[in-house]
Structures are given as structure tokens and as C-alpha cells.
Amino acid sequence: MQTTLVAKAGKGSNPKTALYVGGLESTVNEAALHAAFLPFGEIKEVSLPLDHATGQHRGFGFVEFEAPEDAADAIDNMHNSELYGRVLRVNYAQPNKIKGGDKGWATQAVWADADDWYEQQLAEAELDKLAEQQEKAARKAADAAAVDGTAEAAAS
């Protein structure tokens, strides 16, 4: 039997507990999906995204477990198994993707890091201002030294 390693992902060390379940038959509902995955552990949430035009689910869903080990067990046992006569594809769920970013897709909105960008711009402006002040002080010191050198030459 092949086992699945529990992958760590997300922010910090949060384990992946959300699963993508594809290949669902049109009569499968959230209760049936919950019942199919319940033997593998405590389930936090089950969702079936709906097609707005037809009002039916789109042939896939998501199951989120409380523990990452339960999610790994569910993948081991439910991937390529049958439910309502259809073969299931069960994998770790990917984060939502938003159009834009590298390769045309991003996992967060463009403005999500605006605060960090703004703080970086302020820090760079402060560093430029500090460098300019130091340069001005160095020129002033050099001018004062030149004036002292001219005054000494005139005195002798």
C-alpha cells in the first residue's frame, strides 16, 4: 500500500487539511460527500461549488479535515475509488487563484501587498534623505577644511 506524506504548506507551519474531490456524479450532495469521507477523521467543512447557470454542483467539491493525518488517509484510500459509479480524483486542494501576477495567475489580489510596498517606499525615501544629509555634511566639512587651509596659507 502506498502512503501519502503529509505536506506542510500555507502560512507558517500550518498543515494542509483541505482536499479537492473531482469526478463527482451529479446526484452527489454535501451530506453524501461528508458520509463518504467521515471514516477517515473529523471533518471541518464540506463544500460543493455550484454552477450559477444550472444551480447544480460542477462535478467537484472540497473536504476539509481537522487533522492533516486524516486528510492524508483520505487521499490514500479515496483517490481512484468509486462513488455513485464514478471514479474520484482526490488531491490536496490548491489555493484560489486570481487573474494577474506571474504566468497570468496569482494567489492574492494585486493590492494585498500594498502596505508592504508603501512601507518599503517610505524606508527607501528615509535612507535617501539620510544619505543626502550625510553627503551635505561631508561637503560642508570639506569646504571648512579648505577655508582653514586657505586661511593658514594667507597667514604665513
Side-chain angles (χ1 to χ4, degrees), residues 108-127:
Q108 64 181 7
V110 175
W111 57 85
D113 61 351
D115 290 338
D116 293 337
W117 178 86
Y118 183 68
E119 288 175 9
Q120 182 181 5
Q121 295 301 315
L122 287 176
E124 287 177 9
E126 188 72 28
L127 287 173

Side-chain angles (χ1 to χ4, degrees), residues 66-145:
E66 293 285 337
E69 296 81 16
D70 297 340
D73 289 344
I75 289 175
D76 287 341
N77 291 288
M78 295 298 285
H79 184 64
N80 290 329
S81 67
E82 275 191 33
L83 181 66
Y84 286 66
R86 302 272 305 263
V87 176
L88 299 179
R89 290 179 309 281
V90 182
N91 298 303
Y92 287 112
Q94 300 296 317
N96 288 338
K97 294 191 177 188
I98 301 168
K99 197 166 188 162
D102 294 339
K103 299 180 184 171
W105 295 97
T107 55
Q108 64 181 7
V110 175
W111 57 85
D113 61 351
D115 290 338
D116 293 337
W117 178 86
Y118 183 68
E119 288 175 9
Q120 182 181 5
Q121 295 301 315
L122 287 176
E124 287 177 9
E126 188 72 28
L127 287 173
D128 290 344
K129 188 176 180 181
L130 184 60
E132 188 177 310
Q133 287 175 350
Q134 288 176 344
E135 187 177 307
K136 194 183 266 187
R139 270 188 272 141
K140 195 173 190 179
D143 289 346

